[in-house]
Amino acid sequence: VDVSTLVCGLNGAVYFVEMAAMGGKGLEENNRAGAKYGTGYCDAQCPHEKFERNESHGICCVEMDIWEANKRATAFTPHPCSTVGPTRCTGIDCGYGAEDDARWKGLC
């Protein structure tokens, strides 16, 4: 990627997450897709699971941003969690809640 072409507001990124290699394929009810189709994805912002109907649920895992950049800035950032491996979360554990500081009370 030629970062000199990434203007402000665009971001190039390379990062690693602690996602299960098979994306939960065969382990979770009706999951026949697996990692190839994005199931089992997680990161330190505990995103809503792709097939979870309850939007207060997510899945958290350690994330290491080894490169995020545009033509004006670059960063590498560890995003630690208090978990080992992908972990389902609910509400405050996911950083979701009505409180202003809910994001900082989560597992990651």
Side-chain angles (χ1 to χ4, degrees), residues 27-97:
L27 299 177
E28 298 177 23
E29 184 178 332
N30 299 321
N31 182 353
R32 296 185 208 139
K36 179 177 179 180
Y37 296 98
T39 63
Y41 176 79
C42 61
D43 66 34
Q45 293 189 32
C46 309
H48 299 304
E49 295 182 82
K50 292 180 183 248
F51 301 106
E52 177 63 63
R53 292 182 182 177
N54 183 337
E55 291 188 4
S56 69
H57 293 189
I59 186 164
C60 304
C61 67
V62 171
E63 174 184 353
M64 179 63 200
D65 299 340
I66 60 170
W67 179 77
E68 285 190 276
N70 62 29
K71 74 183 198 176
R72 304 229 184 259
T74 189
F76 58 92
T77 312
H79 297 280
C81 299
S82 62
T83 62
V84 175
T87 303
R88 287 180 186 242
C89 62
T90 303
I92 291 290
D93 280 351
C94 298
Y96 307 143

Side-chain angles (χ1 to χ4, degrees), residues 56 91-105:
S56 69
I92 291 290
D93 280 351
C94 298
Y96 307 143
E99 302 171 38
D100 289 338
D101 63 348
R103 180 175 180 181
W104 312 113
K105 292 181 177 179

